[in-house]
Amino acid sequence: MELLVVGSGYVGLVTGACLSEMGHSVTCLDINEDKIKLLKKGAIPIYEPGLQEMIRRNCKCGRLHFTTNFDKAVPKSNVCFLAVDTPCGEGGEANLDSLKSAVTSIAERMTGYLIFVNKSTSPVGTTREIDSLINRVLEERNIELCYDVVSNPEFLKEGNALQDFMKPDRIIIGTDSEEAAKIMKSLYAPFMLSHQRVLLMDPASAEMTKYAANAMLATRISFMNELSGLCELNGADINKVRVGIGSDTRIGYNYLYPGLGYGGSCLPKDLKALRKQAEKLTYDTPLLNAIEEVNEKQRHSLGAKIIAYFAESGGTAQKTVAILGLAFKPETDDMRYAPSLILIRQLLAQGALLRLYDPVASESAQKVIPDHQNITWCESEMEAAAGADAIALVTEWKQFRFLDFDTLLKQMRGTAFFDGRNQYDPKQMVARGFDYFCVGHRPKFFLQTKN
Ligand SMILES: NC(=O)c1ccc[n+]([C@@H]2O[C@H](COP(=O)([O-])OP(=O)(O)OC[C@H]3O[C@@H](n4cnc5c(N)ncnc54)[C@H](O)[C@@H]3O)[C@@H](O)[C@H]2O)c1
């Protein structure tokens, strides 16, 4: 069985690497020549723990290959995974241009029975659309070939992607074809040794399952963020509330962390796309609308706190803020919809001087954060803290968990610490000498110099 993975980004590379790790013969294809050149040299264009080693290992064994060439890759393939980007369109809808282009390129070159497996997150009805597109291309070629289209949404989390792919909670296979279902089950069999986790369903339900999962995760995050704002006013501590409700087995602990709002490459765009799908069917989604509204507010909350803090000492202009962490979450270099971008924009608009540091994502951050005279890029948290009036913790990288706070404070000009991820003990932070602000808890003793 020859497998082709079209699109070599976060999902495509992990899919290709993990399938080859299980013994399959895989070719990863991308239209981005620089990416493929890099991959052929043994380097990888993204940061994902363990991925480089797995790719190198499987390339060395001859099970994993990289190419930009559809002509060579398609005719020898039996199953073709689609893992291209489906970004947010101008109106919020999922933009399927890359997906349609990839499907066309494959259909133009297929020579026998082929299974198209769509891993890209795409609206309900996309499996049907892909089917019609292939049909049209084959008609234009004046050739009759058998094929099946399967919806197989991906649930991996960046930063833990290999583990998620190798030990999935479930594999969703959406197809009406018994033949395709059988082949897909056998492909995924090596990942199911402990117990069966393949869920077979119709394509529409499979497509909807991906959006429903992301909407549920976003709901939990926005719910906790909304309550955290209330806790900041009424004296409760959202962390204690989190543990209090998480211990209820009907609720559980996952995705109950308040913070800076959800970001990243999936939740924001998928929520928008889901709302758009409902809008097209003239179906009201007050709950989904509210999830986004709460998230937008939360994404601006840290900046608002910093600006309010400096309002009492002459304003934010010319105040120096060290920002620790830029990636949208730890263990990735992905900057898509990262909360840091909003904070940076807010503070620059006030004339603040920013000192930016991320352990891994500085390079990808520099591609999306425009050059600015008020921005200094730093190589460590200590360098970022030098002369700072405030520190803002934005991404909870593990190395920030145990900072050398005494040295950090000595480096600083001021004493403010804005913890956007509730990483530290408020009492200890105040005892160390910080004006400490976190999310969802704001008793008076947090402040050294105020109240
Ligand atoms: N990143 C995640 O954590 C994640 C998780 C689950 C699902 N998804 C979904 O998976 C899909 C891919 O996401 P990603 O983060 O890997 O995207 P990505 O942007 O990292 O990678 C997409 C790749 O596809 C390539 N591409 C675009 N058009 C192509 C074409 N016609 N032929 C060949 N290659 C082409 C691009 O050059 C790029 O390298 C999206 O639909 C996303 O919503 C992503």
Side-chain angles (χ1 to χ4, degrees):
M1 185 85 64
E2 277 289 329
L3 310 182
L4 176 63
V5 180
V6 176
S8 302
Y10 289 87
V11 169
L13 282 179
V14 171
T15 302
C18 291
L19 287 168
S20 64
E21 181 80 357
M22 286 303 191
H24 292 298
S25 169
V26 185
T27 300
C28 286
L29 183 150
D30 205 286
I31 48 171
N32 183 326
E33 295 193 359
D34 293 339
K35 233 179 216 186
I36 295 298
K37 259 189 214 151
L38 207 63
L39 285 159
K40 281 184 168 172
K41 280 193 223 151
I44 63 167
I46 55 170
Y47 176 81
E48 180 62 44
L51 183 58
Q52 181 152 18
E53 296 79 354
M54 192 185 274
I55 285 179
R56 283 193 181 154
R57 194 164 55 240
N58 286 287
C59 285
K60 211 169 161 196
C61 298
R63 284 193 298 261
L64 182 59
H65 306 273
F66 296 102
T67 186
T68 54
N69 191 334
F70 280 98
D71 288 337
K72 279 196 186 151
V74 174
K76 63 174 187 176
S77 301
N78 310 101
V79 177
C80 190
F81 288 87
L82 301 159
V84 299
D85 45 302
T86 49
C88 191
E90 269 177 24
E93 75 287 351
N95 178 335
L96 300 184
D97 290 352
S98 295
L99 190 61
K100 288 179 186 165
S101 159
V103 170
T104 306
S105 302
I106 299 161
E108 282 170 348
R109 293 158 176 93
M110 61 191 276
T111 50
Y113 176 67
L114 189 60
I115 305 181
F116 291 73
V117 182
N118 185 21
K119 291 197 92 53
S120 297
T121 306
S122 29
V124 175
T126 304
T127 307
R128 223 180 32 239
E129 268 191 63
I130 294 176
D131 187 272
S132 312
L133 179 55
I134 300 166
N135 207 13
R136 234 176 11 251
V137 174
L138 294 180
E139 265 176 23
E140 278 164 24
R141 286 176 63 194
N142 202 16
I143 186 170
E144 276 190 26
L145 295 172
C146 291
Y147 63 89
D148 279 308
V149 186
V150 173
S151 168
N152 172 215
E154 181 51 58
F155 296 94
L156 63 78
K157 300 179 290 298
E158 285 174 24
N160 195 50
L162 295 189
Q163 171 81 3
D164 289 343
F165 200 98
M166 297 301 270
K167 289 192 177 151
D169 291 335
R170 75 308 208 183
I171 301 280
I172 305 277
I173 307 281
T175 180
D176 296 324
S177 155
E178 276 183 25
E179 174 70 7
K182 204 171 92 195
I183 293 174
M184 291 306 295
K185 277 179 91 169
S186 77
L187 268 183
Y188 278 117
F191 301 91
M192 305 284 124
L193 288 186
S194 71
H195 62 282
Q196 183 56 256
R197 277 159 288 168
V198 169
L199 301 178
L200 283 178
M201 56 182 79
D202 60 280
S205 303
E207 290 160 342
M208 186 65 181
T209 298
K210 174 66 189 174
Y211 284 103
N214 278 356
M216 176 59 91
L217 298 175
T219 306
R220 288 171 72 98
I221 294 170
S222 278
F223 175 78
M224 290 306 283
N225 282 334
E226 182 161 296
L227 292 195
S228 73
L230 185 57
C231 289
E232 285 177 18
L233 296 174
N234 69 12
D237 178 346
I238 195 71
N239 272 313
K240 294 188 178 134
V241 175
R242 177 180 62 76
V243 177
I245 62 170
S247 54
D248 185 329
T249 49
R250 292 169 303 175
I251 297 173
Y253 293 105
N254 289 333
Y255 273 81
L256 285 187
Y257 292 92
L260 304 178
Y262 56 79
S265 65
C266 291
L267 296 194
K269 81 168 171 65
D270 292 348
L271 253 288
K272 281 191 173 40
L274 183 56
R275 284 177 61 196
K276 202 68 193 177
Q277 290 170 63
E279 195 184 303
K280 278 189 187 153
L281 297 168
T282 61
Y283 183 73
D284 283 341
T285 54
L287 179 58
L288 297 181
N289 304 352
I291 294 163
E292 275 209 292
E293 196 186 315
V294 171
N295 198 55
E296 263 323 292
K297 189 173 157 201
Q298 195 69 15
R299 281 160 72 78
H300 290 83
S301 61
L302 190 66
K305 278 180 191 164
I306 296 173
I307 292 163
Y309 176 81
F310 287 130
E312 293 174 24
S313 54
T316 307
Q318 295 303 308
K319 295 290 189 320
T320 301
V321 181
I323 297 184
L324 303 189
L326 301 168
F328 92 89
K329 67 173 183 178
E331 301 299 330
T332 183
D333 60 349
D334 199 341
M335 287 296 297
R336 290 178 279 188
Y337 289 92
S340 62
L341 297 174
I342 293 196
L343 179 63
I344 289 167
R345 218 176 301 137
Q346 278 173 294
L347 294 178
L348 285 179
Q350 297 290 321
L353 307 172
L354 304 182
R355 299 178 66 76
L356 310 183
Y357 171 62
D358 188 286
V360 164
S362 288
E363 198 181 320
S364 52
Q366 280 173 32
K367 289 182 191 149
V368 291
I369 298 171
D371 281 342
H372 194 289
Q373 58 187 11
N374 288 15
I375 290 182
T376 305
W377 292 89
C378 300
E379 299 285 324
S380 70
E381 52 270 22
M382 284 303 163
E383 189 190 335
D389 297 290
I391 291 179
L393 179 85
V394 174
T395 315
E396 66 279 31
W397 286 94
K398 283 198 195 86
Q399 73 179 56
F400 297 150
R401 281 195 199 159
F402 292 98
L403 292 172
D404 176 354
F405 289 106
D406 291 340
T407 314
L408 205 68
L409 198 56
K410 278 187 202 135
Q411 293 282 318
M412 294 173 67
R413 181 166 62 187
T415 54
F417 198 114
F418 293 86
D419 177 359
R421 302 293 179 181
N422 289 352
Q423 293 292 287
Y424 313 111
D425 181 319
K427 278 190 185 148
Q428 283 181 12
M429 291 299 278
V430 174
R432 284 174 180 128
F434 288 103
D435 280 347
Y436 180 70
F437 299 84
C438 55
V439 182
H441 187 203
R442 199 171 182 280
K444 284 204 163 79
F445 70 78
F446 278 24
L447 298 184
Q448 292 285 324
T449 55
K450 297 182 193 317
N451 296 352

